Amino acid sequence: MNLEQLVRKNVWEMKPYSSARDEFKGEASVYLDANENPLNDKYNRYPDPLQWKLKEKIAQVKGVNPEKIFLGNGSDEPIDLVIRIFCEPRIDNIVAIDPTYGMYQVCANVNDVEYRKVLLNENFNFKADELLKNTDEKTKIIFLCSPNNPTGNLLDTKEIEKTLESFDGIVVVDEAYIDFASEATWLTRLHKYPNLIILQTFSKAWGLAAVRLGMAFASPEIIKLFNKVKYPYNVNILTQNFVNDELDKLALRKEWIQILLNGRDYLKEELSKLPFVEKIYPTDANFLLVKVDDANSLYKQLAGKGVIVRNRNTVSLCVGCLRITVGTDEENKKLIETLQNI
Ligand SMILES: *Cc1c(COP(=O)(O)O)cnc(C)c1O
């Protein structure tokens, strides 16, 4: 892979914005370099644009070098940035599995980049050859999501491997749900694939969706490109400090994951007893994709009783399906009781 050939020319050649916080690094007693107001101590100073303190801590938890980490305003930021870095609008294209997370296509559309969907098979898995057949010399990115949303399954390791080895563009593997999965993260193999970008997030297993922090892991060369294109202060100090403290609660997070996996088992068992449930798809995430006899009607009836699930009836391969997130024990019970009384 030749990174320079892959990156948009304007991005490769541009000089990034240099902020006051970039220019002077170190300790001083008087800071008069950033036009800040000195009178509101604690929140008056611009935060570290590269969030080094937080990255060091994440690096420890994830076993990755901090230079291989990009932090963004949710995963949605690196999804948008990767398209802006690599894809020339109206010229380059993106290939992705279908169905999958909707933001890849939305960001492609916003950036005026062609988005090619390759339908998964009936087991919601894919063949690398099938994806690669849909690429051409203008394909810059392949998006994979494992465990996939809304299907819940892990993608086949061998096929991801083959994609990484055969495609000389960027392969993004979105691991938003990896903490609930029975297989290991791709992080341990990051060093083997210079074209791999792994996305993870604090929004799911960490229980911090409101805080907005997403991670991208890639080679230091790719991370440098992200840093070049991002807004200078894309992660605010409240988020940086808060997540820094949350990272100490590793044991609690493990407990949460176990509670949610137990809840998932409970839902699987109880849902399978309902006469209108036709199929519960295997899942490695904190949600279940469930095929029912009439998804639209069931969705409305549930909503009428204050229980909201996601109607996926119009999504490819998901006709008749509802996507149900695992809740608290109480919420799961309420869902099942409501369904039993329909
Ligand atoms: C929920 C989810 C995310 C998380 O997005 P954030 O912007 O980090 O909240 C990313 N990818 C997938 C596939 C998701 O389902």
Side-chain angles (χ1 to χ4, degrees), residues 22 42 44 54 63-64 75 78 89 94 99 102 107 118 136 153 163 174 180-182 243 263 279 297 306 318 320 342:
D22 279 321
K42 208 165 171 191
N44 58 330
L54 180 55
V64 177
S75 308
I94 292 167
C107 290
V118 180
D136 58 25
N153 60 300
T163 308
D174 187 342
F180 304 105
S182 55
V243 175
K279 182 163 186 177
S297 150
C318 297
I342 271 171

mmCIF file of all heavy atoms in Angstrom, residues 22 42 44 54 63-64 75 78 89 94 99 102 107 118 136 153 163 174 180-182 243 263 279 297 306 318 320 342:
data_model
loop_
_atom_site.group_PDB
_atom_site.id
_atom_site.type_symbol
_atom_site.label_atom_id
_atom_site.label_comp_id
_atom_site.label_asym_id
_atom_site.label_seq_id
_atom_site.Cartn_x
_atom_site.Cartn_y
_atom_site.Cartn_z
ATOM 1 N N ASP A 22 -0.394 23.987 20.318
ATOM 2 C CA ASP A 22 0.532 23.155 19.541
ATOM 3 C C ASP A 22 1.942 23.721 19.592
ATOM 4 O O ASP A 22 2.922 22.993 19.657
ATOM 5 C CB ASP A 22 0.110 23.122 18.052
ATOM 6 C CG ASP A 22 -1.000 22.139 17.800
ATOM 7 O OD1 ASP A 22 -0.963 21.056 18.416
ATOM 8 O OD2 ASP A 22 -1.894 22.449 16.990
ATOM 9 N N LYS A 42 -10.108 26.905 35.595
ATOM 10 C CA LYS A 42 -10.552 25.525 35.417
ATOM 11 C C LYS A 42 -11.018 25.245 33.990
ATOM 12 O O LYS A 42 -10.611 24.283 33.390
ATOM 13 C CB LYS A 42 -11.669 25.146 36.392
ATOM 14 C CG LYS A 42 -11.658 23.650 36.702
ATOM 15 C CD LYS A 42 -12.524 23.366 37.931
ATOM 16 C CE LYS A 42 -12.680 21.860 38.094
ATOM 17 N NZ LYS A 42 -13.692 21.524 39.090
ATOM 18 N N ASN A 44 -11.163 27.838 31.477
ATOM 19 C CA ASN A 44 -10.872 28.967 30.591
ATOM 20 C C ASN A 44 -9.788 28.679 29.555
ATOM 21 O O ASN A 44 -9.646 29.398 28.596
ATOM 22 C CB ASN A 44 -10.467 30.190 31.418
ATOM 23 C CG ASN A 44 -9.251 29.903 32.291
ATOM 24 O OD1 ASN A 44 -9.045 28.769 32.716
ATOM 25 N ND2 ASN A 44 -8.461 30.909 32.540
ATOM 26 N N LEU A 54 -5.116 11.392 28.185
ATOM 27 C CA LEU A 54 -6.186 10.403 28.026
ATOM 28 C C LEU A 54 -5.733 9.257 27.118
ATOM 29 O O LEU A 54 -6.015 8.085 27.384
ATOM 30 C CB LEU A 54 -7.421 11.109 27.450
ATOM 31 C CG LEU A 54 -8.665 10.264 27.196
ATOM 32 C CD1 LEU A 54 -9.095 9.521 28.450
ATOM 33 C CD2 LEU A 54 -9.801 11.151 26.683
ATOM 34 N N GLY A 63 -3.719 -1.885 25.282
ATOM 35 C CA GLY A 63 -2.468 -2.502 24.869
ATOM 36 C C GLY A 63 -1.986 -2.025 23.508
ATOM 37 O O GLY A 63 -1.505 -2.814 22.697
ATOM 38 N N VAL A 64 -2.156 -0.729 23.273
ATOM 39 C CA VAL A 64 -1.773 -0.145 21.976
ATOM 40 C C VAL A 64 -0.895 1.082 22.241
ATOM 41 O O VAL A 64 -1.089 1.788 23.227
ATOM 42 C CB VAL A 64 -3.040 0.309 21.204
ATOM 43 C CG1 VAL A 64 -2.688 0.971 19.892
ATOM 44 C CG2 VAL A 64 -3.962 -0.869 20.951
ATOM 45 N N SER A 75 -17.615 7.873 17.409
ATOM 46 C CA SER A 75 -17.007 7.207 16.243
ATOM 47 C C SER A 75 -17.416 7.909 14.976
ATOM 48 O O SER A 75 -16.787 7.737 13.932
ATOM 49 C CB SER A 75 -17.485 5.761 16.103
ATOM 50 O OG SER A 75 -17.311 5.067 17.279
ATOM 51 N N PRO A 78 -14.411 9.957 13.330
ATOM 52 C CA PRO A 78 -13.458 9.256 12.449
ATOM 53 C C PRO A 78 -14.100 8.660 11.195
ATOM 54 O O PRO A 78 -13.426 8.556 10.163
ATOM 55 C CB PRO A 78 -12.851 8.164 13.342
ATOM 56 C CG PRO A 78 -13.655 8.133 14.582
ATOM 57 C CD PRO A 78 -14.321 9.451 14.720
ATOM 58 N N PRO A 89 -14.221 13.685 -3.820
ATOM 59 C CA PRO A 89 -15.649 13.697 -4.159
ATOM 60 C C PRO A 89 -15.884 13.500 -5.655
ATOM 61 O O PRO A 89 -15.143 14.043 -6.470
ATOM 62 C CB PRO A 89 -16.112 15.083 -3.701
ATOM 63 C CG PRO A 89 -15.136 15.458 -2.629
ATOM 64 C CD PRO A 89 -13.831 14.830 -3.006
ATOM 65 N N ILE A 94 -16.489 4.089 -2.301
ATOM 66 C CA ILE A 94 -16.400 3.289 -1.079
ATOM 67 C C ILE A 94 -17.209 2.022 -1.302
ATOM 68 O O ILE A 94 -18.265 2.066 -1.934
ATOM 69 C CB ILE A 94 -17.008 4.095 0.102
ATOM 70 C CG1 ILE A 94 -16.128 5.299 0.424
ATOM 71 C CG2 ILE A 94 -17.227 3.217 1.330
ATOM 72 C CD1 ILE A 94 -16.796 6.302 1.343
ATOM 73 N N PRO A 99 -26.818 -5.314 4.885
ATOM 74 C CA PRO A 99 -27.009 -4.104 5.676
ATOM 75 C C PRO A 99 -25.861 -3.872 6.653
ATOM 76 O O PRO A 99 -25.172 -4.802 7.035
ATOM 77 C CB PRO A 99 -28.297 -4.415 6.455
ATOM 78 C CG PRO A 99 -28.265 -5.898 6.653
ATOM 79 C CD PRO A 99 -27.636 -6.441 5.400
ATOM 80 N N GLY A 102 -25.722 2.791 9.445
ATOM 81 C CA GLY A 102 -26.145 3.781 8.466
ATOM 82 C C GLY A 102 -25.228 4.971 8.266
ATOM 83 O O GLY A 102 -25.268 5.637 7.224
ATOM 84 N N CYS A 107 -22.273 9.661 5.675
ATOM 85 C CA CYS A 107 -21.030 10.441 5.535
ATOM 86 C C CYS A 107 -20.529 10.426 4.093
ATOM 87 O O CYS A 107 -20.003 11.431 3.610
ATOM 88 C CB CYS A 107 -19.950 9.925 6.479
ATOM 89 S SG CYS A 107 -20.311 10.264 8.198
ATOM 90 N N VAL A 118 -22.663 -4.107 -0.981
ATOM 91 C CA VAL A 118 -22.583 -5.509 -1.372
ATOM 92 C C VAL A 118 -23.383 -6.324 -0.360
ATOM 93 O O VAL A 118 -23.044 -6.357 0.838
ATOM 94 C CB VAL A 118 -21.116 -5.999 -1.430
ATOM 95 C CG1 VAL A 118 -21.058 -7.459 -1.844
ATOM 96 C CG2 VAL A 118 -20.314 -5.127 -2.392
ATOM 97 N N ASP A 136 -12.818 -1.071 -7.666
ATOM 98 C CA ASP A 136 -12.035 -0.771 -8.864
ATOM 99 C C ASP A 136 -10.878 0.147 -8.455
ATOM 100 O O ASP A 136 -10.628 0.329 -7.256
ATOM 101 C CB ASP A 136 -12.901 -0.145 -9.966
ATOM 102 C CG ASP A 136 -13.586 1.134 -9.511
ATOM 103 O OD1 ASP A 136 -13.074 1.795 -8.572
ATOM 104 O OD2 ASP A 136 -14.636 1.501 -10.074
ATOM 105 N N ASN A 153 -24.158 -10.135 14.266
ATOM 106 C CA ASN A 153 -23.152 -11.198 14.156
ATOM 107 C C ASN A 153 -21.751 -10.654 13.907
ATOM 108 O O ASN A 153 -21.558 -9.572 13.363
ATOM 109 C CB ASN A 153 -23.516 -12.149 13.008
ATOM 110 C CG ASN A 153 -23.574 -11.419 11.673
ATOM 111 O OD1 ASN A 153 -24.358 -10.490 11.495
ATOM 112 N ND2 ASN A 153 -22.725 -11.807 10.747
ATOM 113 N N THR A 163 -9.687 -9.829 2.906
ATOM 114 C CA THR A 163 -9.964 -8.466 2.435
ATOM 115 C C THR A 163 -8.761 -7.571 2.705
ATOM 116 O O THR A 163 -8.312 -6.827 1.830
ATOM 117 C CB THR A 163 -11.224 -7.900 3.131
ATOM 118 O OG1 THR A 163 -12.290 -8.827 2.983
ATOM 119 C CG2 THR A 163 -11.623 -6.558 2.552
ATOM 120 N N ASP A 174 -15.236 -1.687 12.091
ATOM 121 C CA ASP A 174 -15.937 -1.003 13.175
ATOM 122 C C ASP A 174 -16.281 -2.020 14.259
ATOM 123 O O ASP A 174 -17.082 -2.919 14.046
ATOM 124 C CB ASP A 174 -17.206 -0.338 12.615
ATOM 125 C CG ASP A 174 -17.907 0.543 13.643
ATOM 126 O OD1 ASP A 174 -17.653 0.391 14.850
ATOM 127 O OD2 ASP A 174 -18.731 1.392 13.219
ATOM 128 N N PHE A 180 -18.905 -7.162 23.720
ATOM 129 C CA PHE A 180 -19.953 -8.153 23.986
ATOM 130 C C PHE A 180 -19.716 -9.437 23.199
ATOM 131 O O PHE A 180 -20.513 -10.363 23.250
ATOM 132 C CB PHE A 180 -21.328 -7.589 23.583
ATOM 133 C CG PHE A 180 -21.656 -6.295 24.253
ATOM 134 C CD1 PHE A 180 -21.598 -5.094 23.569
ATOM 135 C CD2 PHE A 180 -22.019 -6.270 25.601
ATOM 136 C CE1 PHE A 180 -21.889 -3.888 24.178
ATOM 137 C CE2 PHE A 180 -22.309 -5.073 26.229
ATOM 138 C CZ PHE A 180 -22.255 -3.872 25.515
ATOM 139 N N ALA A 181 -18.632 -9.479 22.439
ATOM 140 C CA ALA A 181 -18.441 -10.551 21.465
ATOM 141 C C ALA A 181 -17.629 -11.710 22.030
ATOM 142 O O ALA A 181 -16.880 -11.568 22.992
ATOM 143 C CB ALA A 181 -17.761 -9.996 20.218
ATOM 144 N N SER A 182 -17.775 -12.855 21.376
ATOM 145 C CA SER A 182 -17.073 -14.062 21.814
ATOM 146 C C SER A 182 -15.702 -14.177 21.150
ATOM 147 O O SER A 182 -14.947 -15.095 21.445
ATOM 148 C CB SER A 182 -17.910 -15.289 21.468
ATOM 149 O OG SER A 182 -18.208 -15.281 20.085
ATOM 150 N N VAL A 243 -13.735 10.823 31.034
ATOM 151 C CA VAL A 243 -13.397 9.474 30.560
ATOM 152 C C VAL A 243 -12.116 8.980 31.222
ATOM 153 O O VAL A 243 -11.977 7.797 31.530
ATOM 154 C CB VAL A 243 -13.303 9.433 29.016
ATOM 155 C CG1 VAL A 243 -12.837 8.067 28.535
ATOM 156 C CG2 VAL A 243 -14.657 9.780 28.404
ATOM 157 N N GLY A 263 -28.750 -10.708 30.505
ATOM 158 C CA GLY A 263 -30.012 -10.150 30.021
ATOM 159 C C GLY A 263 -30.301 -10.595 28.596
ATOM 160 O O GLY A 263 -31.451 -10.877 28.230
ATOM 161 N N LYS A 279 -37.959 -15.927 14.300
ATOM 162 C CA LYS A 279 -36.543 -16.254 14.349
ATOM 163 C C LYS A 279 -35.789 -15.229 15.192
ATOM 164 O O LYS A 279 -36.047 -14.030 15.101
ATOM 165 C CB LYS A 279 -35.972 -16.265 12.922
ATOM 166 C CG LYS A 279 -34.518 -16.642 12.870
ATOM 167 C CD LYS A 279 -34.058 -17.049 11.484
ATOM 168 C CE LYS A 279 -32.614 -17.537 11.604
ATOM 169 N NZ LYS A 279 -32.052 -18.017 10.372
ATOM 170 N N SER A 297 -46.717 -3.742 12.753
ATOM 171 C CA SER A 297 -47.815 -3.768 13.715
ATOM 172 C C SER A 297 -47.279 -3.965 15.135
ATOM 173 O O SER A 297 -47.699 -3.279 16.076
ATOM 174 C CB SER A 297 -48.806 -4.872 13.318
ATOM 175 O OG SER A 297 -49.431 -5.387 14.452
ATOM 176 N N GLY A 306 -45.506 2.205 25.455
ATOM 177 C CA GLY A 306 -44.330 2.880 26.020
ATOM 178 C C GLY A 306 -43.033 2.096 25.907
ATOM 179 O O GLY A 306 -42.035 2.444 26.550
ATOM 180 N N CYS A 318 -33.632 -7.658 6.235
ATOM 181 C CA CYS A 318 -34.214 -7.582 7.584
ATOM 182 C C CYS A 318 -35.729 -7.405 7.559
ATOM 183 O O CYS A 318 -36.325 -6.933 8.546
ATOM 184 C CB CYS A 318 -33.587 -6.447 8.384
ATOM 185 S SG CYS A 318 -31.823 -6.684 8.656
ATOM 186 N N GLY A 320 -39.371 -7.783 8.221
ATOM 187 C CA GLY A 320 -40.049 -8.446 9.339
ATOM 188 C C GLY A 320 -39.275 -8.414 10.641
ATOM 189 O O GLY A 320 -39.666 -9.054 11.608
ATOM 190 N N ILE A 342 -49.866 -8.992 24.247
ATOM 191 C CA ILE A 342 -50.298 -8.451 22.955
ATOM 192 C C ILE A 342 -51.174 -9.475 22.241
ATOM 193 O O ILE A 342 -50.904 -10.663 22.288
ATOM 194 C CB ILE A 342 -49.059 -8.042 22.114
ATOM 195 C CG1 ILE A 342 -48.707 -6.585 22.460
ATOM 196 C CG2 ILE A 342 -49.312 -8.193 20.630
ATOM 197 C CD1 ILE A 342 -47.406 -6.095 21.899
#
